[in-house]
Structure formats: C-alpha cells, structure tokens
Amino acid sequence: MGAPGRGRHNAGVKITALSDPHPGPSSYRLAWVGAAEDGHPVATAYLRVFTAEGAEHRTEVEVSVHPAEQRRGAGTALLAEATAAARGLGRRTMVAGPVDAGSPGEAFLSARGLRPVLALTYARLALEDAEVAAALAEPHPGYRLLSWEGTVPDELAATFARSRRAMDDMPMDEADVGAETWDVERVRSIAAAVARRGDILCTVAAVDDADGTIVGFSELVVPGAGTGDAQHYGTGVLPGHRGHGLARWMKAAAIRHTRVNHPQVTGLRTDTADSNVAMRRINDALGYRPTHRSILFQLDLGRA
Ligand SMILES: CC(C)(COP(=O)(O)OP(=O)(O)OC[C@H]1O[C@@H](n2cnc3c(N)ncnc32)[C@H](O)[C@@H]1OP(=O)(O)O)[C@@H](O)C(=O)NCCC(=O)NCCS
C-alpha cells in the first residue's frame, strides 16, 4: 500500500491511498481513490479494519466504480490494493458485500477469486399492514419486556452487555466471523455512534422475572428524520431461554414501539441468513415479505 496521500499507477488507474480520520468504536477504515489518466476520479475502495476483541482477524472491503468506467479494470486494481493492505496488517479474512444475487458485484467478486460464504434474504414489513396484537397478547409467564431509545439505562448496562452473547451462534454458514466480546463500554459506544449519525437506536429487551437479568434483545435503527424505513439490527435470545417465543414477542413489541413513537416510519427492513430458519419463520409470521437476495463473499488471506 502506498503511504497516505501518495499516488501510484496500476492498470491505467492512478491510485491514491487515504485514511479515514474518524475511527469508529470497533473499527477504522482505509480508503483509496482511483483516477483515470486525465485525473478525474473513477472509483473508490474502503477497507474496514475491525478492532473489537474477537474480530481482530477480520476486514471488510467495499469497491465502487463509476458506472461509465466499469469493465476497464479499475475495480480489480482497487481490490488488489485493499487485499494487499489487509494482508499487510496480518488479517486472516476479507469479506465483501453482501451483493445482490445476479448483480455486477457478484460476477466481479467471483471472477476475482472470492468465494460465496453466506446467502441472505432481505425482507420488508409495510407498517400499515402489520398485525401484532395477537403476538403481543400471547402469555410469556416468567418474562417481561422493557424498551428504551438511545443508550441502555445505567442500571441495565451490565446485564444488557452480557446478553449480547445471544448472537454468538447466529448462523453465519462459512463466513469467518468468530465470537465477539462485549462489555458495557462497547455497548455504550455503539449507541453513541448511532446517535452521532443522527439516527435513533431503539431496543426491546426480554427480562427474566426470576432474577431481573436481560435474556434477549431486539434492536432497530430509525432514521433521524423519523420518516422512511427503519432497519432492524440484531435480535437474539440467550440459549437457556429459547423456545418460549421471546424473539417473536420482542420483534412484535419493536413493531408497536415504532408505530407509537415514530408514526411517520412506513416500513421495517431486515436481512436474515437463508439458513436461519427460526428467524425467517418469525419474520414470515409477522408479515415481513422478501424483497431480494444477497450473497456475502470472502477471501481467506491465510494468516493470523
Ligand atoms: C463490481 C464493480 C466494483 C466492478 O468494477 P469494474 O471496474 O467494472 O471491474 P473490472 O473491470 O476490474 O472487472 C473484473 C472482472 O469482473 C467481472 N465483472 C465485472 N463486472 C461485471 C459485470 N457487470 N458482468 C459480468 N462480469 C463482470 C469480469 O470477469 C471482469 O473481467 P472482464 O471484464 O475481463 O470480463 C462495479 O461493477 C461496481 O462498482 N458495482 C457496484 C458496487 C459493487 O457491487 N461492489 C462490489 C462489492 S465490494
């Protein structure tokens, strides 16, 4: 990789390496701009380098070439630059995507030797059609629900951070993600990062009445303007509390929370691994309808 700010030529594209001045709570980014011989920019690449404990082997690449400049090797040149940087950092894997099935991105990543590791179905719930009364009315003896917006309340922070391991065994097929470590500081800094972007993080949690601990959660992010579609983040239930309908209950509560508190939001979007049968069933039952399929690709860098 060239030093930041220094340009060099590769397959007719002049590449300038940059670095993102704003590192996030669990990653930072390197960036490259590709320019044509006459100097106008034609492509960008970002390499996200994960820094959270348990994710230090991972990177994620995003290459984008101006539509009028595609099929001239710019994507290949920038991908090579990002791959070299990931290797240089001693990282074990580089993932790309997810890209839509049948898109130029899928053809490109296959052609460049990355392999498909995870198939995802994207789905959307039109809030005007959502029916959650029945799901909310079902009894769940021994449990109650809580919800909050923004950062977790202090008195729940420790138990909420511990509940994050509910995501550890989420089906990821062949994607090399590893199990991440969560603590209160990380939970708070992620909420702060969403707030800095101007968006609203909404969380519903399931609490075990016996000891007051959080045993499951469902997160979604509402755009700051309060309009358009909100995006689901994770939904997870700790292994000892699965099979009691808590995920569906929390998701139904998240739907109601959005309707009541953000009435101008029109839809909720979610993406689920095709192999995650439990979550797909919940989404189907709550009225989410598939919009498209995507594929995550991975390059094994063979180190670390
Ligand atoms: C995917 C993308 C980055 C490719 O950039 P590019 O500069 O056009 O790619 P290259 O010219 O280096 O293509 C290399 C090879 O990939 C394959 N490929 C790329 N685009 C393709 C397409 N539209 N259809 C079929 N194969 C394609 C080909 O095998 C190509 O070699 P060839 O032209 O000799 O046949 C570009 O289409 C893009 O910006 N798409 C939107 C963003 C995206 O999907 N990024 C990928 C996720 S990281």
Side-chain angles (χ1 to χ4, degrees):
M1 185 185 70
R6 262 197 17 226
R8 68 189 184 82
H9 291 265
N10 195 338
V13 188
K14 186 177 179 235
I15 298 178
T16 303
L18 309 164
S19 66
D20 187 340
H22 302 296
S26 25
S27 65
Y28 66 91
R29 290 195 308 175
L30 302 176
W32 294 264
V33 177
E37 289 297 330
D38 65 3
H40 71 263
V42 298
T44 56
Y46 292 101
L47 182 73
R48 186 169 288 285
V49 182
F50 292 94
T51 50
E53 200 183 328
E56 297 104 328
H57 61 291
R58 297 183 58 213
T59 58
E60 196 174 282
V61 70
E62 203 185 313
V63 180
S64 175
V65 178
H66 189 284
E69 306 286 348
Q70 292 178 0
R71 295 307 280 273
R72 295 184 193 167
T76 298
L78 284 171
L79 183 68
E81 206 68 21
T83 306
R87 273 192 216 284
L89 290 165
R91 296 295 168 130
R92 190 170 77 209
T93 58
M94 184 172 79
V95 298
V99 287
D100 289 356
S103 69
E106 181 186 11
F108 167 73
L109 294 170
S110 301
R112 295 285 69 108
L114 282 80
R115 64 187 177 97
V117 289
L118 182 69
L120 297 156
T121 293
Y122 284 67
R124 178 178 187 271
L125 177 74
L127 280 170
E128 59 181 4
D129 303 334
E131 285 295 342
V132 291
L136 287 171
E138 273 172 35
H140 296 85
Y143 297 100
R144 65 180 187 276
L145 295 183
L146 291 176
S147 65
W148 63 85
E149 293 200 347
T151 309
V152 57
D154 287 350
E155 65 278 15
L156 295 172
T159 177
F160 180 52
R162 279 194 294 273
S163 77
R164 307 288 318 197
R165 72 183 166 79
M167 303 297 282
D168 285 358
D169 59 346
M170 177 172 72
M172 289 298 284
D173 297 358
E174 291 176 49
D176 180 9
V177 287
E180 296 188 22
T181 307
W182 288 87
D183 57 21
V184 168
E185 193 190 347
R186 184 161 176 222
V187 160
R188 286 192 177 129
S189 62
I190 285 182
V194 174
R196 260 198 312 277
R197 279 199 325 248
D199 295 335
I200 304 154
L201 178 63
C202 307
T203 307
V204 172
V207 174
D208 183 350
D209 277 332
D211 58 8
T213 59
I214 292 179
V215 298
F217 62 89
S218 183
E219 292 180 314
L220 66 84
V221 172
V222 171
T227 57
D229 284 354
Q231 173 71 46
H232 283 284
Y233 278 25
T235 295
V237 175
L238 287 172
H241 300 270
R242 292 178 186 167
H244 301 297
L246 295 182
R248 191 179 48 216
W249 194 29
M250 291 190 296
K251 222 160 174 180
I255 294 166
R256 187 187 53 185
H257 177 98
T258 309
R259 273 183 157 167
V260 170
N261 296 284
H262 305 284
Q264 292 186 58
V265 170
T266 46
L268 298 180
R269 290 185 181 269
T270 188
D271 53 274
T272 311
D274 285 355
S275 55
N276 193 341
V277 176
M279 203 66 229
R280 287 179 57 203
R281 242 184 230 150
I282 291 167
N283 292 340
D284 286 350
L286 289 170
Y288 291 75
R289 295 291 165 252
T291 55
H292 61 285
R293 293 186 69 242
S294 292
I295 299 146
L296 187 72
F297 281 81
Q298 181 171 300
L299 187 66
D300 302 314
L301 301 168
R303 287 195 29 202

